[in-house]
Amino acid sequence: MYTVCVRDHFMIAHSLKGDVFGPAERLHGATYVVDVEFRRGELDDAGIVVDIGRATHLLEHVLADLDYRNLDDAPELEGANTTTEFLARLIFERLGARIASGELGQSARALESLRVCLHESHVAWAAFEGRLPVAPS
Amino acid sequence: MYTVCVRDHFMIAHSLKGDVFGPAERLHGATYVVDVEFRRGELDDAGIVVDIGRATHLLEHVLADLDYRNLDDAPELEGANTTTEFLARLIFERLGARIASGELGQSARALESLRVCLHESHVAWAAFEGRLPVAPS
Amino acid sequence: MYTVCVRDHFMIAHSLKGDVFGPAERLHGATYVVDVEFRRGELDDAGIVVDIGRATHLLEHVLADLDYRNLDDAPELEGANTTTEFLARLIFERLGARIASGELGQSARALESLRVCLHESHVAWAAFEGRLPVAPS
Amino acid sequence: MYTVCVRDHFMIAHSLKGDVFGPAERLHGATYVVDVEFRRGELDDAGIVVDIGRATHLLEHVLADLDYRNLDDAPELEGANTTTEFLARLIFERLGARIASGELGQSARALESLRVCLHESHVAWAAFEGRLPVAPS
Amino acid sequence: MYTVCVRDHFMIAHSLKGDVFGPAERLHGATYVVDVEFRRGELDDAGIVVDIGRATHLLEHVLADLDYRNLDDAPELEGANTTTEFLARLIFERLGARIASGELGQSARALESLRVCLHESHVAWAAFEGRLPVAPS
Amino acid sequence: MYTVCVRDHFMIAHSLKGDVFGPAERLHGATYVVDVEFRRGELDDAGIVVDIGRATHLLEHVLADLDYRNLDDAPELEGANTTTEFLARLIFERLGARIASGELGQSARALESLRVCLHESHVAWAAFEGRLPVAPS
């Protein structure tokens, strides 16, 4: 199995709903440093899993929809508890849909799985991994 | 699959038994920076794998039993070769037993696996991963 | 010159005022991973710059006043532009005042300078360094 | 499952063939920081996956064949597109062959899999993982 | 004193001239992860040392002139020994000249010094720091 | 000012004397990841601060005298409180004496200062920096 991983980050405000979160029920924020792993069993004709430049741009576009926002006010996230785990899956779904619609090119349709990891500090991170293809939304 | 990871560290003295260890047969020591990954297929009602605060405290308690000790003198480890691999599994077992006894709450009983990784330097680490539940000792 | 450094983090929401900030004028947030360096020319009688445990607790207390908050609503910061640089100096001032009032013990009065560095992502940080003592506020 | 990982690096020049690579079609270079994970289900008699010292030396020997070279001029790589993914697999194959021929000792024949990860910058890496034994070449 | 630091990277081929370099006399390459620190005694009217976004773009432009090249064939570097130290100073000079010519805006003319650090692996880096302004070339 | 830095590590057991150390009065241990910075105002004829390979070997030799030992039993450290700060200075002195006696070659006599930083965990480090030459012991 081959993997390629690219890294970027985004910075948001939000609050979490539920007694378990204690002080994180208050409006606060986070920098999320995001690692996305792209995986497949065989390389494509160019000898790669996915072009690192294109993968980086794809991630940049997906994160731009979240960056510098208060997620509590995001209409598309209404009712969601935007935990790190939830955001990892959200980014997985959005990346997967764009890959399925061809944004990484034909060869990327052979990608078998993605793993999205969000580092919220130097001592904690959360990740979601799942199989591809994801149906376009 | 979702994962949450928390990090802490502990500092011990020990010696290793066996010709393969060369100078590490002498009494020396290590800082172990510990990453513990908690994994499950679905999030709980609060939208999390496990509460990062509670997971951090659980790890802190388990490491407190080892921290600032000479493991060669630990009665409960008598006869053991306290390699990094051994310690990774030991911490896995102790975390697993505490989770099974409810220390992370009811929801955490749905955790499917743990991975415990001990970084012994900037160029070497060892890990143990296994399924949950672990029977309480 | 001797230095001791300890690390912790805090997570806040805020917005920045000024055209230069572009999208950061919107309410967003950040995780700040904080490194504080304590410096002095000679060690104390115990052979240290400052006790790492006490320094860690002091930093924890200072960061607790900021953690999990929306800085735009903090009465004590009214009118301030809470840039990373500003927050680095704010934490410097607060640490300095507590050191001057004896919270790190008598020996710590010989500290000559502090440097406070806030990492806002894997690709950007800001720092403030200055001499001690800082007058208690 | 137990894992032990060791880290080293090598520095090479090369160019990549194919329109997808854009400016990387030109002769350029890279530092690859290499993490090799050795995995097995049970520890050996000494309580380890593999001796970290021996594993480090094995990796050093394998990387020495690549280090400080222009891979475009390497006869043994003629016709290959030396992408990060390709190099990860190449190192996997070479490590696997040496393990199969006994260079890590008898106990290491129980290793079940290897993962070779090449970090090409602070924002991108590629890896190959596969099962052991690999047939000696 | 305030500091802001931004990080980027570039990837080059080169060879070094001189017996001291041993195998590095051969054509090889490196990834350089570059940290640039901008320093000044007082913040500007917006409360910053320099805008992190603008600083990041400036660094990107300066590195683009070096990225994905064989430095042995760069006409503007003819006769130079492109050691890590040399490259750190080269980037310092180029950044300094652009700052002097106003590319970071008026406020950035108050910058007092720059430090350019090039990480060539996980175990070695080199840096150059100097005062501003640097005369435009 | 130019700087070159190399990294290595060592692993020791020790105990600290004094009430301030709390549990660290017990015999325990640490991995110290060591960064040594070599500094000078002008490069030598080869265009370097110091040869990274030679600097790495020098550090290796100095650390070999401490590695895999119980410092409480080291005759040459009798009576010393082997805090991280103390060890940083000890390594500074030993490196400085070897440089003064020519182990890094003639050119290295132009080195102006050294900084030795010991990382004892992911959240704490200590350093000593001083001017060269140090008198050979």
Side-chain angles (χ1 to χ4, degrees):
Chain A
M1 176 66 61
Y2 292 93
T3 307
V4 157
C5 182
V6 296
R7 173 172 282 197
D8 200 344
H9 74 287
F10 66 106
M11 303 175 85
I12 54 89
H14 67 159
S15 61
L16 300 175
K17 305 173 199 76
D19 289 349
V20 68
F21 296 108
E25 285 191 281
R26 303 198 299 250
L27 183 63
H28 64 288
T31 305
Y32 291 112
V33 176
V34 185
D35 288 322
V36 180
E37 299 181 24
F38 302 81
R39 297 171 179 166
R40 58 195 291 173
E42 299 299 329
L43 300 181
D44 73 7
D45 292 345
I48 56 177
V49 166
V50 68
D51 178 54
I52 285 177
R54 287 183 83 170
T56 300
H57 285 121
L58 181 70
L59 178 57
E60 202 175 300
H61 289 149
V62 165
L63 297 187
D65 291 337
L66 297 167
D67 205 12
Y68 291 117
R69 293 180 71 189
N70 176 2
L71 299 186
D72 291 359
D73 290 344
E76 75 275 23
L77 300 176
E78 201 179 333
N81 216 6
T82 58
T83 60
T84 310
E85 293 92 324
F86 172 88
L87 292 170
R89 181 163 195 161
L90 182 74
I91 293 166
F92 166 85
E93 299 282 356
R94 290 181 176 182
L95 287 167
R98 283 170 179 255
I99 292 167
S101 67
E103 288 195 30
L104 280 183
Q106 271 305 114
S107 144
R109 291 181 197 273
L111 289 168
E112 294 171 23
S113 64
L114 286 186
R115 180 174 180 274
V116 177
C117 180
L118 272 62
H119 302 264
E120 68 174 57
S121 74
H122 63 304
V123 289
W125 54 259
F128 179 77
E129 57 189 289
R131 297 197 63 77
L132 294 180
V134 169
S137 58
Chain B
M1 177 63 62
Y2 293 93
T3 306
V4 157
C5 182
V6 296
R7 172 172 284 196
D8 202 344
H9 74 287
F10 66 107
M11 303 173 85
I12 54 90
H14 67 161
S15 61
L16 299 175
K17 303 173 201 75
D19 290 349
V20 67
F21 297 108
E25 285 192 281
R26 305 197 298 250
L27 182 62
H28 64 289
T31 305
Y32 290 112
V33 176
V34 185
D35 288 320
V36 180
E37 299 181 24
F38 302 81
R39 296 170 178 166
R40 58 196 290 175
E42 300 298 329
L43 300 181
D44 72 7
D45 292 346
I48 55 177
V49 166
V50 68
D51 178 54
I52 285 176
R54 289 183 82 168
T56 299
H57 285 121
L58 181 69
L59 177 57
E60 202 176 298
H61 290 149
V62 166
L63 299 187
D65 290 338
L66 298 166
D67 206 11
Y68 291 117
R69 294 180 70 189
N70 176 3
L71 300 187
D72 291 359
D73 290 344
E76 74 275 23
L77 300 177
E78 200 179 335
N81 215 4
T82 58
T83 61
T84 311
E85 294 91 324
F86 172 88
L87 292 170
R89 181 165 194 158
L90 181 74
I91 293 167
F92 166 85
E93 299 282 356
R94 290 182 177 183
L95 286 167
R98 283 169 179 255
I99 291 167
S101 67
E103 288 194 33
L104 280 182
Q106 271 305 114
S107 145
R109 292 182 196 271
L111 289 168
E112 294 171 22
S113 64
L114 285 185
R115 180 173 180 275
V116 176
C117 179
L118 271 63
H119 302 265
E120 70 174 55
S121 75
H122 64 303
V123 289
W125 53 259
F128 179 77
E129 57 189 289
R131 298 197 63 76
L132 296 180
V134 168
S137 58
Chain C
M1 176 63 62
Y2 293 93
T3 307
V4 157
C5 182
V6 297
R7 172 172 283 197
D8 201 343
H9 74 287
F10 67 108
M11 303 174 85
I12 53 89
H14 69 158
S15 60
L16 299 176
K17 303 173 200 77
D19 290 349
V20 68
F21 296 108
E25 285 192 282
R26 304 197 299 250
L27 183 63
H28 64 288
T31 305
Y32 290 113
V33 175
V34 185
D35 287 321
V36 180
E37 298 181 25
F38 301 81
R39 297 171 178 165
R40 59 195 290 174
E42 300 298 331
L43 299 181
D44 72 8
D45 292 346
I48 55 176
V49 167
V50 68
D51 178 54
I52 285 176
R54 287 184 83 169
T56 300
H57 285 122
L58 181 70
L59 178 57
E60 202 176 300
H61 289 149
V62 166
L63 297 186
D65 290 337
L66 297 167
D67 205 12
Y68 291 116
R69 292 181 71 190
N70 176 4
L71 300 187
D72 292 358
D73 290 343
E76 75 276 22
L77 300 176
E78 199 179 335
N81 215 6
T82 57
T83 61
T84 311
E85 294 92 323
F86 172 89
L87 292 170
R89 181 163 194 160
L90 181 75
I91 293 167
F92 166 85
E93 299 282 356
R94 290 181 177 182
L95 287 166
R98 282 169 179 255
I99 292 166
S101 66
E103 288 194 32
L104 281 183
Q106 270 306 113
S107 145
R109 292 182 197 271
L111 289 168
E112 294 171 23
S113 64
L114 286 185
R115 179 174 180 275
V116 177
C117 181
L118 271 63
H119 302 264
E120 69 173 57
S121 74
H122 64 303
V123 289
W125 53 260
F128 179 78
E129 57 189 291
R131 296 196 66 76
L132 295 180
V134 169
S137 57
Chain D
M1 177 64 62
Y2 293 93
T3 307
V4 157
C5 182
V6 297
R7 172 172 283 196
D8 201 344
H9 75 286
F10 66 107
M11 304 174 84
I12 54 90
H14 68 159
S15 61
L16 300 175
K17 303 173 201 74
D19 289 349
V20 68
F21 296 109
E25 285 191 282
R26 304 196 300 249
L27 182 63
H28 65 289
T31 306
Y32 291 112
V33 176
V34 185
D35 288 321
V36 180
E37 299 181 25
F38 302 81
R39 297 170 177 164
R40 59 196 289 174
E42 300 299 329
L43 299 181
D44 72 8
D45 290 346
I48 55 176
V49 167
V50 67
D51 178 54
I52 285 177
R54 287 183 82 169
T56 299
H57 285 123
L58 181 69
L59 178 56
E60 202 176 299
H61 289 150
V62 166
L63 298 187
D65 290 338
L66 298 167
D67 206 10
Y68 291 117
R69 294 181 70 191
N70 175 5
L71 300 186
D72 291 359
D73 290 343
E76 75 275 23
L77 300 177
E78 200 180 333
N81 216 6
T82 58
T83 61
T84 311
E85 294 91 324
F86 171 88
L87 293 170
R89 181 164 193 158
L90 181 75
I91 293 166
F92 166 86
E93 300 281 357
R94 290 181 177 182
L95 287 167
R98 283 169 179 256
I99 293 167
S101 66
E103 288 195 31
L104 282 183
Q106 270 306 113
S107 145
R109 292 182 196 271
L111 288 168
E112 295 172 21
S113 64
L114 286 185
R115 180 175 180 274
V116 176
C117 180
L118 271 62
H119 302 263
E120 69 173 56
S121 75
H122 64 303
V123 289
W125 54 259
F128 179 77
E129 57 189 288
R131 298 196 64 77
L132 295 179
V134 168
S137 57
Chain E
M1 176 64 63
Y2 292 93
T3 306
V4 157
C5 182
V6 297
R7 172 172 283 197
D8 201 345
H9 74 287
F10 66 106
M11 303 174 86
I12 54 91
H14 68 160
S15 61
L16 300 175
K17 303 172 200 76
D19 289 350
V20 68
F21 297 108
E25 285 191 281
R26 304 198 298 251
L27 182 62
H28 64 289
T31 306
Y32 290 112
V33 176
V34 185
D35 287 321
V36 180
E37 299 182 24
F38 301 81
R39 296 169 178 167
R40 58 195 291 174
E42 299 299 329
L43 300 180
D44 73 7
D45 292 346
I48 56 177
V49 167
V50 68
D51 178 54
I52 285 176
R54 287 184 82 170
T56 300
H57 285 121
L58 181 70
L59 178 57
E60 201 176 299
H61 290 149
V62 166
L63 298 186
D65 290 338
L66 298 166
D67 206 12
Y68 291 116
R69 294 180 70 190
N70 176 2
L71 300 186
D72 292 359
D73 290 343
E76 74 276 23
L77 300 176
E78 199 178 336
N81 216 4
T82 57
T83 61
T84 311
E85 295 90 324
F86 171 88
L87 293 171
R89 180 162 195 162
L90 181 75
I91 293 167
F92 167 85
E93 299 281 356
R94 291 181 176 182
L95 286 167
R98 283 168 179 257
I99 292 167
S101 66
E103 287 194 31
L104 280 183
Q106 271 306 115
S107 145
R109 291 181 196 271
L111 288 168
E112 294 171 22
S113 65
L114 285 186
R115 180 174 180 276
V116 177
C117 181
L118 271 62
H119 303 265
E120 69 173 56
S121 75
H122 65 302
V123 290
W125 55 258
F128 179 76
E129 58 188 288
R131 298 197 63 75
L132 296 180
V134 168
S137 57
Chain F
M1 177 63 63
Y2 293 93
T3 307
V4 157
C5 182
V6 297
R7 172 171 284 198
D8 201 343
H9 74 286
F10 67 107
M11 304 174 83
I12 55 90
H14 67 159
S15 61
L16 300 175
K17 304 173 200 74
D19 290 348
V20 67
F21 296 108
E25 284 191 282
R26 305 197 298 249
L27 183 62
H28 65 289
T31 305
Y32 291 112
V33 176
V34 185
D35 288 321
V36 180
E37 300 182 24
F38 302 81
R39 296 170 178 165
R40 59 195 291 174
E42 300 298 329
L43 299 180
D44 72 8
D45 291 346
I48 56 176
V49 166
V50 68
D51 178 54
I52 285 177
R54 288 183 81 169
T56 300
H57 286 121
L58 182 69
L59 178 56
E60 203 175 299
H61 291 149
V62 166
L63 298 187
D65 289 338
L66 298 166
D67 206 12
Y68 291 116
R69 294 181 70 191
N70 176 4
L71 300 186
D72 291 358
D73 290 344
E76 75 276 25
L77 300 177
E78 199 179 334
N81 216 5
T82 57
T83 61
T84 311
E85 294 91 323
F86 171 89
L87 292 171
R89 180 163 194 160
L90 181 74
I91 293 167
F92 166 85
E93 300 282 356
R94 291 181 176 182
L95 287 167
R98 283 169 178 254
I99 292 167
S101 67
E103 288 194 31
L104 280 183
Q106 270 306 114
S107 145
R109 292 183 196 271
L111 288 168
E112 294 171 22
S113 65
L114 285 186
R115 180 174 181 275
V116 177
C117 181
L118 272 62
H119 302 265
E120 69 174 55
S121 74
H122 63 304
V123 289
W125 54 259
F128 179 77
E129 58 189 289
R131 298 198 63 77
L132 296 180
V134 169
S137 59

